[in-house]
Each structure stands twice: as structure tokens, then as C-alpha cells.
Amino acid sequence: MSANKPDISERALQLLKALTERYIREGQPVGSRTLSRESGLNFSPATIRNVMADLEDLGLIRSPHTSAGRIPTVQGYRMFVDTLLTVKPLDEFTVDRMRTELDTDHDSKSLVTTASSLLSGITHLAGIVTLPRREHASLKRVEFLPLSEHRVLAVLVISDREVQNRILNVDRPYTASELQQASNYLNGQFAGRNLEEVRRSLIRDMKSDRADMDRMMRTAVEMADSALNAAEEGDDFVMAGETNLMEFEELCNPATLRQLFEGFNRKRDILHLLDQCVNGAGMQIFIGEESGYQMLDECSVVTAPYSVDGRVVGVLGVIGPTRMAYERIIPIVDATARIMGAALNPRE
Amino acid sequence: MSANKPDISERALQLLKALTERYIREGQPVGSRTLSRESGLNFSPATIRNVMADLEDLGLIRSPHTSAGRIPTVQGYRMFVDTLLTVKPLDEFTVDRMRTELDTDHDSKSLVTTASSLLSGITHLAGIVTLPRREHASLKRVEFLPLSEHRVLAVLVISDREVQNRILNVDRPYTASELQQASNYLNGQFAGRNLEEVRRSLIRDMKSDRADMDRMMRTAVEMADSALNAAEEGDDFVMAGETNLMEFEELCNPATLRQLFEGFNRKRDILHLLDQCVNGAGMQIFIGEESGYQMLDECSVVTAPYSVDGRVVGVLGVIGPTRMAYERIIPIVDATARIMGAALNPRE
DNA sequence: CGCTGGCACTCCATAATGGCGAGTGCCAGC
DNA sequence: GCTGGCACTCGCCATTATGGAGTGCCAGCG
């Protein structure tokens, strides 16, 4: 909000940092005595108490009740994350492990699943990864196969690891050679161009009543259009390790758990949240209520977009309790996003 | 175990029935006074107490502690389900709803997903449906498309709603016409035969060193073999409505929930259990520990196989607390299995 | 002989109680 | 401006009391 940074002393920030770290580690409200021992600064508990009172006035920490220690508020975590955090560099071993797991021959669905499990496995939180957007992927080829009187199979070849099927309902039977002609025409026109471009061209073609379009071409265009528009596979993101969240005292009560898991199943809210991260610049962190979804009130979400050819195509991240080890989690999410992007890039 | 049916009086069975029904409805241990009011039989609480003592000796009911009412044991539920249960006929409205939802144009994966949601939606429990086995499905056609130097796409057409892709890694480039020849050969040989037969034939062909097999045929056979053997999609069953289980008092504690959900994610145990039901004759019910999996100690599982052409191809069912409304759940699972089978059968 | 009412007993649940222990706020003194 | 001291506040925990529900057993009745 306002630039209240000058109002707050260096010492107070040090204490906020120490307090937050301790609370993240132990999960118990932190008292002045503890902090006096652990802060590094050499002050008596009484002094610490004065500073803590200031921090409380600023809304950075609060006590769950009179005469318990203090815990960070959302604003406290925010300040901690934004200005006090010293991220741990990620050890090479883990990076290697991720790279090998993600770099082995995958279609994008299984890549996403693996990434999600990796994230949850390494962080012990819940991992989420959106499926990569396809609009900018290029279409290598289209093939049509007759299935039955009123059905045609469209095969969209996007890369040598990525193929999609669409079953089209058509109004009359088509012969194999008709379909062959259609796909030849389309491949000639569109092969190598990206899906979004193709879609736009198709719409243009369908609107224009060009004289030079024979019946076959028209058929081809219409088929391609319905093939491209056929709904993408339903799940827009993949989640793993939800059960990890049950390990945390603060989330582990029936009411919270239920709210959380029902939200996960609904998918809608999570999807909304993730969508916001596609556009945001780089890594994004939502702490507690910041996300704006009640189900995530006690959680933090750390996300990073991943890109192919410098273009953001998806988002991945983790969900955990607000009291998560940000300094460890952040580099993991960051690295995963980079490796994910690399794994999606065409080889050779 | 033993035929202790004769040892137990008609009256005792009536009481067991009334007690179980009441307990399923209310979730509280049932006392003699309540039962005397509700059993229908006109006996004083004292008499009821005597009978209850007998039932307890037989291991059919137990009291959670001295001076609480009684609740059914697993054996009690078993007897209830096997011999005392009066199933409620399913209302036509629900059946219609299921039929319309399942009968609309689906590939088998989405059919399974829908069935699972339906089950969980109607029962308010967790629904599970295995993917239908394919061995006996017939192969309509195979097509190969070159993708890149070392990759070939195999398209297996199983029906006009069911198509599968396999990406094959091959050791040398193949031309489109080579692949065309291969698929022509295979289609001539195998089209219309079922997958298991095809697989067996292929193995036979590969072993025999028949003189009349030219290089092309050999290639075709090898490709088809690897296409058929490529791992089926990972998930062998689809689950829905897990969160419904959080509604139940008796399951809704962190430890139990965690065990349960981790088990669901692991999939292995559930899969094992469901496999047993494929062979079992018709509907099967596992009550509490009967399933043999600790995670399900407090749950019951009601399953029914579903079939195509009189051949069992999958299993579906629900998981809920032991204290579930069997008389309502059983016909639902049963009906779903029948409708599922119908929906999978080829139309027209 | 089987059913019943009566009675003592057991045990859970709930609330009330009081003593820690941890931590605070404030103040006076250095 | 920092510190020690002190009174105070609360949550936590174990203890205790109370009420209610339900049982087991027994003696009596039809």
C-alpha cells in the first residue's frame, strides 16, 4: 500500500525476519524471550517486546490471544517475502533429477503430470501445472480417416511427440479419397503455421465466398474448423500431492480440508487464479487471503509461468500453508518452470 | 462362517435389522429403549436387552463402551446385507437421468468419468469406475503416419467412437507408402478381429519364420505389435466425489482421511480390490475390514461388474462409510452397471 | 417359561475449577 | 534507549463434580 518502509526501523525488520523464520520452522507463536535468543541481535526480551508492539501496530504481526507469542500477519509474510527473504540456492542434485525426469520423451500431458508430481514430491506440498496452451504451437499436419457413415476422425499432428484426435460428426459419408484430398489441401495451406493463425484463416475462408473454392476445399475448411474447435480435453491443470497438505497442523481440520479439497475438485477457482499468473511478470506469490478465494485463506500459492520460444504457455506452482518455507520453495518453483519450458521445446 | 443361522431366533434377527437400520439412519449407538419403541415388535426394553446380549455373544453387535447402546459389527452388517435387507426399488426418474447422461455420444474415457460422477452425485459417496478392458473389443482398422525420422504414429480404430494413438519409436525412416502398405496388409489380416486375437496372431507371426513373409509384412507385424503393446493410458479407474466422504462424522478425522486419500492416490490397492470383482459373480460388497485393506477399515465398498456382449469388461461401484444406506445404494450401483454396459454397446 | 419392572452400577459427556507456564504491558531505574 | 522487575492475562491441562443414557441382573407376575 503506502510506503511505510521508512517508518520501520532496520532493527524491527530484523526481528520480523527472525520471527517469521522461527514461526515457519516451528509453527508455534514466537515470544520475546525466544526471539531475544535467536534474533542474532543482542537485546533483552523487554526491548524485543517494545519492538514487537510496534510491529503489531503496523499490522505485521499479531498474537493469537493475549499472552501467546506473535505470529506474522499476511502483511508480515508479504514484507518478509518481498524484502527480507534470502532464497536458498537449489542444490544441483535436485535440479539434475528434475531435468532427467522431465527431459525424457513425453507428450505434453504426461510431462505436466510428471512435473506436478515432481513439484509436490520435492516441496512436500501440493503441485499444480497447467496444460500448455496450444495456440502458438504449429500445426505440422492434418489427416482425416473415415470412421463410419457419419463420423470422420481428424488427426492433428502438432509435433513428433504431440498428436491429437478429434472425432467429427458429419452429415454425409465421405470417401477415403475425398478426405485425402481435403487433408492434402489443408496441409498445403496450413502446415507449419500456428494453430491460432490457422483458425483465423479458416474463419476468413469460410466467410469469404471466393469463387475459386470448389466444393472439396469448402468441405476441407469446414472440417478443419470443427476439428480445431472441438473442445480441448477437459482438465486444464493437473494437481498432485494434495494429501501432503494433510500433514500440516494448521490445515488439518475437517472443515478446512473439506473446503480446500472441494475447491480443488471444482477446479474453477484454481484455474482463475492460475490464469492471472500467465500475464503477471514472472514468479507470483499469493499469501493467505491475497488470493481472494476463501478456500485458500490459510494457504499460500507460489507460481511461475513457463514458456516455449519466449512465449508464456502455462503456469506451474505449489499450494501450501501460509507458513511454508518460502526460501526453499521459491527456487524450486522457479527452476521447475525453467526446466519445464526447456522440456517442451522441440529437441535437436 | 458356520451355519449358525438356526441358533438365532427370528426375533433376534428382526431386532438386528431394526438396530442396523436405525444406526445407519442416525449414526448413534442404539439402546434397548429406542429399539423397543422402533422395532415393531412389542417388547419391553428389558426383554430387548436380553436378546441384545445374545446378539452380542454371537458377535453381531457390540457396544462401543459399557452403557452406550449397541452398534452392528462387521458380521452384523454382513448378516444384515445378506439376509435382512429389503432393497428399495430405484425410482424411474433417476434411472432416466442416468440413461440420458450416459447414452449421449461418449468415448469410453468420458463415459467412465461421467458414470463416476453420476454415482457419486446420486449416492453422495465416492464413485469409482474402471476403464473398460479392450481385449475383446474388435480392431476395426490400423493406420500409420510418419511423424519424423524415427517416429511413426499408429492410429488404432476400435469403433466409430473409440480411437487410440500410439507414437512408436522406430529405427529408421519409413515412407508414407511403406506405411500405407503395412497398414493395408494389417487391415486385410486383422480388421474386425478382437485385440486379444490380433495380439496372439502377431506373436505367432513374429516367431514363425515363414518364407512367404516379405520385409514389408515383417515390418508391419512388428509395428502392430509395438502399437498394441504400448502402455495403455495410466489410470485404470476413475474416481469422483471423494470429498463426499468428508461429510461423514466417522470418517472425518485427519488420520482416517489421510490414510484414505493417500490410498486413493496410490490407486494400487483400490485396483486390486476392483480386480477381484471382475471375476466375482455379480454385485459384491466389502464391509469394513473384509476388504483386507487397512485404509478401508471404516468403509464399505459396493461394486458391480459391467459387461458388453455378455462379457465383463469393467467394474464400478461406490466407497462410503460402513454405515451406508445399503438398501438405497445397492440398486443404484446395480442399475448404473447395467446402463453403463448398454451405453458401451455399439449402437444401431 | 418367558416377559417385565425395578434397581444398582458403569461410563461418557459436559461443565466447572484451579494450578501451571508462557508471554505480555508497563514502569522505574540505570 | 535499554533493561529488569512485576502484576496481569490467557490458554492448557488435569482434576472433580454432575447428569444422563444404558446396561445387567434379579425377583415377581401371568
Side-chain angles (χ1 to χ4, degrees):
Chain A
M1 317 282 159
S2 62
N4 57 6
K5 182 86 178 296
D7 297 12
I8 180 171
S9 73
E10 188 55 35
R11 187 175 65 179
L13 287 177
Q14 278 305 315
L15 283 179
L16 176 60
K17 184 177 180 211
L19 184 143
T20 310
E21 282 170 349
R22 164 89 190 193
Y23 180 65
I24 285 175
R25 213 161 357 100
E26 307 283 340
Q28 297 294 324
V30 186
S32 53
R33 173 194 303 272
T34 318
L35 216 46
S36 137
R37 261 189 279 105
E38 300 216 350
S39 66
L41 313 174
N42 234 3
F43 291 113
S44 79
T47 313
I48 307 275
R49 281 202 285 279
N50 290 327
V51 184
M52 282 168 111
D54 296 347
L55 286 172
E56 186 154 18
D57 288 343
L58 289 169
L60 296 173
I61 60 177
R62 67 191 175 87
S63 40
H65 55 83
T66 333
S67 132
R70 306 300 219 291
I71 61 178
T73 60
V74 169
Q75 291 87 337
Y77 278 120
R78 174 51 59 200
M79 174 146 297
F80 175 75
V81 165
D82 285 348
T83 72
L84 302 171
L85 196 66
T86 45
V87 295
K88 273 189 192 163
L90 194 50
D91 66 304
E92 265 317 304
F93 178 73
T94 309
V95 177
D96 275 357
R97 185 182 141 210
M98 293 201 288
R99 230 191 288 275
T100 47
E101 290 223 28
L102 291 178
D103 253 5
T104 41
D105 190 43
H106 275 306
D107 61 70
S108 63
K109 175 74 187 257
S110 85
L111 187 65
V112 161
T113 311
T114 313
S116 195
S117 313
L118 261 180
L119 272 173
S120 79
I122 297 174
T123 60
H124 302 291
L125 305 174
I128 32 178
V129 185
T130 65
L131 291 175
R133 279 161 54 191
R134 294 282 167 57
E135 289 104 73
H136 300 290
S138 65
L139 183 65
K140 273 184 66 178
R141 215 158 89 227
V142 186
E143 297 289 335
F144 296 108
L145 299 175
L147 284 179
S148 66
E149 287 225 331
H150 294 288
R151 299 202 172 181
V152 168
L153 172 69
V155 179
L156 308 180
V157 179
I158 288 162
S159 79
D160 68 334
R161 282 177 297 164
E162 202 70 32
V163 177
Q164 286 185 32
N165 284 346
R166 304 288 159 81
I167 292 176
L168 310 178
N169 291 308
V170 290
D171 49 1
R172 66 163 180 90
Y174 288 82
T175 66
S177 72
E178 267 181 304
L179 294 173
Q180 188 62 52
Q181 278 182 52
S183 59
N184 285 344
Y185 168 73
L186 291 169
N187 287 330
Q189 289 272 310
F190 299 119
R193 293 170 61 191
N194 81 43
L195 289 181
E196 190 48 38
E197 260 173 61
V198 172
R199 181 172 289 152
R200 266 202 297 273
S201 291
L202 286 172
I203 291 172
R204 207 170 330 122
D205 283 359
M206 284 182 2
K207 279 191 184 147
S208 80
D209 227 348
R210 294 201 330 245
D212 63 331
M213 260 177 85
D214 59 17
R215 174 154 170 264
M216 184 275 295
M217 280 161 58
R218 186 155 290 282
T219 305
V221 165
E222 276 163 15
M223 266 191 194
D225 182 62
S226 50
L228 280 180
N229 286 329
E232 303 268 324
E233 45 246 83
D235 347 295
D236 292 294
F237 67 87
V238 173
M239 194 154 188
E242 298 96 314
T243 45
N244 284 343
L245 301 182
M246 295 191 187
E247 307 252 3
F248 298 98
E249 202 62 46
E250 62 262 51
L251 301 179
C252 202
N253 61 69
T256 314
L257 276 185
R258 203 171 137 198
Q259 203 174 193
L260 208 53
F261 277 68
E262 278 175 2
F264 291 164
N265 278 353
R266 226 186 357 258
K267 291 206 160 188
R268 211 193 47 237
D269 295 346
I270 299 284
L271 215 48
H272 256 138
L273 191 64
L274 293 177
D275 272 349
Q276 293 172 40
C277 308
V278 177
N279 306 317
M283 172 149 289
Q284 210 143 340
I285 302 178
F286 300 89
I287 298 166
E289 306 121 36
E290 286 180 354
S291 68
Y293 296 99
Q294 204 205 330
M295 52 171 282
L296 293 175
D297 274 1
E298 328 241 336
C299 291
S300 284
V301 185
V302 177
T303 66
Y306 63 88
S307 358
V308 174
D309 284 338
R311 209 191 298 265
V312 173
V313 294
V315 180
L316 53 76
V318 296
I319 298 182
T322 17
R323 173 178 97 67
M324 68 165 75
Y326 296 95
E327 81 280 3
R328 201 176 67 84
I329 303 298
I330 289 175
I332 293 174
V333 172
D334 186 53
T336 312
R338 275 184 290 108
I339 297 172
M340 180 80 183
L344 273 171
N345 266 314
R347 237 61 64 82
E348 283 130 309
Chain B
M1 314 289 155
S2 62
N4 57 5
K5 184 85 177 299
D7 298 11
I8 180 172
S9 72
E10 187 55 35
R11 186 175 69 178
L13 287 177
Q14 277 306 314
L15 283 178
L16 176 60
K17 183 176 181 212
L19 184 144
T20 309
E21 281 169 351
R22 164 89 190 194
Y23 180 64
I24 286 175
R25 214 160 358 100
E26 307 283 340
Q28 297 294 326
V30 186
S32 52
R33 172 194 304 272
T34 318
L35 216 47
S36 136
R37 260 189 280 106
E38 300 215 352
S39 66
L41 312 175
N42 234 5
F43 290 113
S44 80
T47 312
I48 306 277
R49 280 203 285 280
N50 289 327
V51 184
M52 282 167 111
D54 296 346
L55 286 172
E56 187 154 17
D57 288 344
L58 288 169
L60 296 173
I61 61 178
R62 68 194 175 84
S63 41
H65 55 83
T66 332
S67 134
R70 305 301 218 292
I71 61 177
T73 60
V74 170
Q75 291 86 338
Y77 277 120
R78 174 51 58 200
M79 175 146 296
F80 175 75
V81 165
D82 285 348
T83 71
L84 301 172
L85 196 67
T86 44
V87 295
K88 274 188 190 164
L90 194 49
D91 68 303
E92 264 319 302
F93 178 74
T94 309
V95 176
D96 274 357
R97 186 182 141 209
M98 293 201 289
R99 231 192 288 274
T100 49
E101 290 223 28
L102 290 178
D103 253 6
T104 42
D105 190 40
H106 275 306
D107 61 73
S108 63
K109 174 75 188 255
S110 85
L111 187 65
V112 161
T113 310
T114 313
S116 195
S117 312
L118 262 180
L119 273 174
S120 80
I122 297 175
T123 61
H124 303 290
L125 304 174
I128 32 177
V129 184
T130 64
L131 292 175
R133 280 159 54 190
R134 294 281 167 56
E135 289 105 73
H136 300 291
S138 65
L139 183 65
K140 271 185 68 177
R141 215 158 88 229
V142 187
E143 297 289 335
F144 296 108
L145 300 174
L147 284 180
S148 67
E149 287 225 332
H150 294 288
R151 299 200 175 184
V152 168
L153 172 68
V155 179
L156 308 181
V157 179
I158 289 161
S159 78
D160 68 334
R161 284 177 297 163
E162 202 70 30
V163 177
Q164 286 186 32
N165 284 347
R166 305 287 160 79
I167 292 175
L168 309 179
N169 292 309
V170 290
D171 49 1
R172 66 166 181 89
Y174 288 83
T175 66
S177 73
E178 268 182 302
L179 294 174
Q180 187 63 53
Q181 279 181 51
S183 59
N184 285 343
Y185 169 72
L186 291 168
N187 287 330
Q189 288 273 308
F190 299 120
R193 292 169 61 189
N194 82 43
L195 290 180
E196 190 48 38
E197 258 174 63
V198 172
R199 179 171 290 149
R200 265 201 298 274
S201 291
L202 286 172
I203 291 172
R204 209 169 328 121
D205 284 359
M206 283 181 2
K207 277 191 186 146
S208 80
D209 226 348
R210 295 204 324 248
D212 63 332
M213 261 177 86
D214 59 15
R215 174 152 170 264
M216 184 276 295
M217 281 162 59
R218 185 155 291 282
T219 304
V221 165
E222 274 162 16
M223 267 192 194
D225 183 62
S226 52
L228 281 180
N229 286 328
E232 303 268 325
E233 44 248 81
D235 347 295
D236 292 295
F237 67 87
V238 172
M239 193 152 186
E242 300 95 315
T243 45
N244 284 343
L245 302 182
M246 296 191 187
E247 307 252 3
F248 297 96
E249 202 61 47
E250 61 262 52
L251 301 179
C252 201
N253 61 70
T256 314
L257 276 185
R258 204 172 135 197
Q259 202 174 197
L260 209 52
F261 277 69
E262 279 175 1
F264 291 164
N265 280 352
R266 225 185 359 259
K267 291 206 159 186
R268 212 192 45 238
D269 296 346
I270 300 285
L271 216 48
H272 255 137
L273 191 63
L274 293 178
D275 273 349
Q276 293 171 39
C277 308
V278 177
N279 305 318
M283 171 150 290
Q284 211 144 339
I285 302 178
F286 299 89
I287 298 166
E289 306 121 36
E290 286 179 354
S291 69
Y293 296 99
Q294 205 205 331
M295 52 171 282
L296 293 176
D297 274 1
E298 327 241 336
C299 292
S300 285
V301 184
V302 178
T303 67
Y306 63 88
S307 358
V308 174
D309 285 338
R311 210 190 296 266
V312 173
V313 296
V315 179
L316 55 75
V318 297
I319 299 182
T322 15
R323 175 176 96 68
M324 68 165 75
Y326 296 94
E327 81 281 4
R328 202 177 65 85
I329 303 299
I330 289 174
I332 293 173
V333 172
D334 185 53
T336 312
R338 274 184 292 107
I339 297 173
M340 179 80 183
L344 272 172
N345 265 314
R347 237 62 64 85
E348 284 130 306

